[in-house]
């Protein structure tokens, strides 16, 4: 990296952090309709930030849901283009009482920036904007053309983006797609992510009697909806974590023996994970390690269950209704619509007597696996190593970025997942934070990458 660019980054660090803090103050929670105005405000903020960075074309583009922010800088002298994807929406903050500081009042302590969206994904998207800004302000140009696509619905499954990408295929044409929305392997251990799990989600509604009943007058004669729901959910997995839904594993594409063997060289993850989570033992499907459980195996999880009386004290009722929320993380070969259908058939076949069961589908996304033979991947690994002093590893991630598979199918370009978060930074949970060490080194890594990237 040139000294002048590095000097620009260092001299403007405080101002840039203040800008990021301003961005993080906007409660752009896409899942909650009450925050629709805040989501738009965050989109408008991103537009202003891209304009300030020096992009020549910046536009707020409407969708059926929240708007997309598009930005571009190009030169007739450049023959290649990098497309950068990120999102400006964030997860809800519940349970808010578990936050040590208000989630939208960012604070810095212990060299960590605490706020909802600090790591996922406002902080990481912001780093790209500042890296481009530094190159443009110092050099007056870029060695390639750049496009930004920043959306506001990632945290609700990107329902508007598939159609947007298909409708704007030519506008988004590029040689490489670059995304920073994934974690590194650990502190000081950079990683290029080559695979993401997909997702499907359902709500299960169990209905018994027409209303709540007195447990003394009716108890023992009618089905209790909560008991029925618990019984039903218990049929989904066995005691070893194996999912019991017929057809669930049929199309799973297994990783190669070489890939599984490479995971053994990444360290003792089981001990590390137990220490991080504060548990005495782990749980997962037999025959696989904890790292494989989170990277290459599908899951079925009950994320929430509710029904009946939940206030203080006791109310002796037999609940009429009970509800559960289920999500599955899917691996290559699995289709979210097909898996949802399998689960619905299983629930229908195992419904206890005395109740009816209905389901409603929510977020979904297909899994993704990247080929790594494109030279952009080697440049990414080299850039990490130059800044962090450690070789970058090629890993997978257990989470999902629903639109990545759409990018892969529609744009047909290499997709580089080059993240700077840490697995322990509580994204989607209280006290989300971003280590400023990786904020600083991340910008330097991105600049190093953009100064050295090759496309052929």
């Amino acid at each position: 990296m040139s000294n002048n660019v590095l000097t620009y980054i260092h001299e403007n660090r405080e101002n840039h952090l203040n800008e990021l803090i301003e961005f993080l103050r906007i409660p752009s929670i896409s899942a909650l309709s009450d925050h629709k105005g805040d989501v738009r405000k965050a989109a408008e903020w991103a537009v202003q930030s891209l304009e300030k960075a020096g992009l020549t074309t910046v536009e707020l583009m409407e969708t059926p849901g929240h708007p997309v922010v598009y930005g571009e800088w190009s030169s007739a002298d450049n023959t290649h283009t990098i497309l950068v994807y990120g999102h400006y929406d964030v997860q809800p903050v519940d349970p808010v009482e578990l936050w040590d500081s208000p989630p939208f009042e960012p604070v810095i302590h212990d060299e960590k920036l605490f706020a909802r969206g600090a790591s996922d994904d406002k902080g990481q998207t912001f780093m790209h904007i500042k890296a481009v800004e530094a190159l443009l302000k110092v050099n007056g140009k870029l060695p390639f053309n750049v496009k930004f696509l920043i959306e506001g619905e990632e945290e609700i499954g990107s329902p508007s983006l598939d159609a947007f990408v298909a409708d704007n295929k030519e506008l988004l044409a590029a040689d490489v797609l670059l995304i920073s929305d994934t974690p590194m392997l650990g502190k000081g251990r950079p990683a290029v992510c080559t695979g993401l799990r997909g997702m499907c989600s359902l709500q299960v509604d169990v209905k018994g009697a027409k209303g709540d009943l007195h447990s003394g007058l009716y108890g023992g004669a009618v089905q209790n909806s909560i008991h029925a729901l618990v019984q039903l959910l218990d049929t989904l997995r066995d005691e070893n974590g194996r999912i019991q839904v017929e057809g669930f594993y049929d199309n799973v594409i297994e990783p190669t023996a070489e890939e599984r063997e490479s995971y053994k060289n990444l360290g003792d993850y089981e001990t590390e994970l137990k220490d991080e989570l504060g548990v005495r033992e782990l749980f997962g499907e037999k025959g696989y390690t904890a790292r494989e459980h989170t990277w290459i195996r599908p899951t079925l999880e009950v994320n929430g269950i509710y029904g009946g009386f939940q206030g203080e004290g006791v109310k002796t009722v037999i609940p009429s209704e009970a509800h559960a929320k289920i999500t599955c993380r899917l691996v290559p070969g699995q289709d979210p619509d097909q898996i949802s259908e399998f689960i619905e058939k299983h629930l229908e076949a195992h419904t206890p007597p005395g109740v009816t069961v209905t389901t409603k589908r929510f977020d979904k996304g297909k899994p993704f696996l990247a080929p790594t033979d494109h030279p952009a991947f080697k440049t990414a690994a080299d850039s990490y190593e130059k800044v962090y002093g450690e070789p970058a590893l090629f890993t997978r991630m257990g989470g999902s970025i629903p639109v990545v598979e759409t990018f892969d199918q529609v744009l047909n370009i290499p997709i580089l997942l080059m993240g700077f978060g840490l697995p322990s930074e509580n994204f989607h949970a209280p006290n989300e934070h971003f280590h400023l060490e990786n904020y600083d080194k991340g910008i330097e890594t991105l600049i190093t990458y953009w100064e050295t990237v090759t496309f052929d």
Side-chain angles (χ1 to χ4, degrees):
M1 183 193 314
S2 69
N3 290 333
N4 290 340
V5 174
L6 187 61
T7 298
Y8 179 88
I9 289 296
H10 289 171
E11 288 182 347
N12 288 277
R13 182 180 187 267
E14 184 175 353
N15 289 336
H16 290 169
L17 275 178
N18 286 335
E19 289 177 29
L20 175 55
I21 287 170
E22 180 182 312
F23 193 21
L24 294 171
R25 285 198 178 106
I26 305 172
S28 50
I29 305 171
S30 55
L32 302 180
S33 58
D34 288 348
H35 287 275
K36 183 177 181 179
D38 295 314
V39 177
R40 177 167 285 272
K41 183 179 178 182
E44 293 169 347
W45 192 97
V47 166
Q48 294 171 3
S49 185
L50 289 172
E51 290 174 340
K52 181 179 178 180
L55 273 70
T56 51
T57 301
V58 184
E59 186 176 355
L60 193 70
M61 304 181 70
E62 301 295 342
T63 76
H66 298 300
V68 163
V69 176
Y70 175 79
E72 181 179 334
W73 184 95
S74 61
S75 169
D77 295 332
N78 293 336
T79 57
H80 295 288
T81 301
I82 292 179
L83 172 64
V84 178
Y85 164 82
H87 63 93
Y88 61 82
D89 66 319
V90 299
Q91 280 276 328
V93 298
D94 305 287
V96 69
E97 66 273 10
L98 297 184
W99 285 78
D100 294 333
S101 57
F104 295 109
E105 295 180 16
V107 296
I108 295 175
H109 58 82
D110 297 329
E111 282 301 295
K112 303 171 189 174
L113 175 58
F114 286 80
R116 173 58 88 226
S119 182
D120 182 20
D121 179 45
K122 287 181 176 178
Q124 297 200 61
T125 298
F126 181 79
M127 289 161 53
H128 283 275
I129 297 174
K130 290 302 151 184
V132 167
E133 176 182 312
L135 289 167
L136 286 175
K137 296 297 184 185
V138 174
N139 299 329
K141 61 181 181 178
L142 299 174
F144 49 83
N145 300 326
V146 65
K147 299 177 179 179
F148 277 83
L149 174 62
I150 308 174
E151 69 153 320
E153 297 183 339
E154 196 275 342
E155 298 294 8
I156 55 173
S158 302
S160 303
L161 207 59
D162 283 359
F164 180 90
V165 173
D167 292 342
N168 293 277
K169 181 178 178 180
E170 292 184 7
L171 179 70
L172 302 174
D175 297 281
V176 173
L177 172 59
L178 181 57
I179 302 174
S180 293
D181 194 12
T182 53
M184 304 198 306
L185 194 60
K187 180 177 172 58
R189 301 182 71 190
V192 177
C193 182
T194 63
L196 300 166
R197 291 194 288 190
M199 184 180 69
C200 65
S201 57
L202 304 93
Q203 178 169 308
V204 182
D205 300 308
V206 175
K207 175 70 174 175
K210 63 181 181 180
D212 289 354
L213 302 175
H214 189 290
S215 66
L217 296 178
Y218 298 97
V222 295
Q223 178 67 276
N224 182 309
S225 291
I226 293 180
H227 283 289
L229 177 60
V230 171
Q231 180 182 338
L232 183 59
L233 295 177
D234 194 47
T235 68
L236 293 170
R237 292 196 325 192
D238 67 15
E239 65 276 10
N240 297 315
R242 180 81 177 177
I243 297 162
Q244 298 300 292
V245 175
E246 185 176 354
F248 189 87
Y249 295 102
D250 284 357
N251 297 315
V252 168
I253 299 174
E254 298 288 348
T256 64
E258 291 78 12
E259 182 177 0
R260 293 189 68 183
E261 184 65 27
S262 71
Y263 295 158
K264 296 178 182 178
N265 300 323
L266 300 181
D268 180 11
Y269 187 55
E270 276 76 3
T271 299
E272 177 185 331
L273 192 57
K274 285 188 287 187
D275 290 343
E276 175 190 333
L277 301 180
V279 297
R280 288 182 292 180
E281 57 184 320
L282 302 175
F283 174 81
E285 184 184 359
K286 284 192 173 181
Y288 298 90
T289 66
R291 186 167 273 120
E292 289 174 329
H293 288 147
T294 57
W295 286 359
I296 65 171
R297 296 303 292 166
T299 70
L300 188 155
E301 302 287 356
V302 178
N303 308 114
I305 183 169
Y306 56 100
F309 178 67
Q310 299 179 48
E312 184 178 357
V314 174
K315 184 180 182 182
T316 54
V317 295
I318 299 173
S320 168
E321 298 181 6
H323 313 271
K325 296 182 185 293
I326 293 173
T327 57
C328 297
R329 297 292 178 169
L330 309 177
V331 297
Q334 292 182 302
D335 178 80
D337 288 325
Q338 185 179 59
I339 294 298
S340 295
E341 183 178 344
F342 288 159
I343 294 171
E344 289 166 343
K345 288 181 178 178
H346 177 97
L347 294 173
E348 181 181 356
H350 291 81
T351 297
V355 296
T356 58
V357 174
T358 57
T359 60
K360 182 179 180 180
R361 299 185 189 183
F362 288 96
D363 301 356
K364 66 178 181 179
K366 292 184 178 180
F368 169 75
L369 189 61
T372 59
D373 53 354
H374 190 277
F377 285 83
K378 183 180 185 307
T379 305
D382 291 344
S383 299
Y384 273 122
E385 186 168 3
K386 287 176 183 177
V387 176
Y388 282 86
E390 291 288 336
L393 302 168
F394 288 89
T395 67
R396 295 200 201 184
M397 187 183 84
S400 307
I401 306 176
V403 76
V404 168
E405 197 271 344
T406 300
F407 284 133
D408 184 44
Q409 295 298 314
V410 176
L411 300 183
N412 192 30
I413 57 176
I415 299 175
L416 183 58
L417 299 165
M418 196 174 175
F420 299 93
L422 293 181
S424 59
E425 288 179 335
N426 291 359
F427 26 85
H428 293 207
N431 297 318
E432 179 182 348
H433 57 279
F434 192 20
H435 284 69
L436 294 182
E437 174 189 14
N438 292 324
Y439 167 81
D440 293 325
K441 289 185 175 180
I443 294 177
E444 293 184 26
T445 302
L446 291 174
I447 293 171
T448 301
Y449 176 79
W450 285 343
E451 289 183 332
T452 57
V453 63
T454 58
F455 298 88
D456 303 310

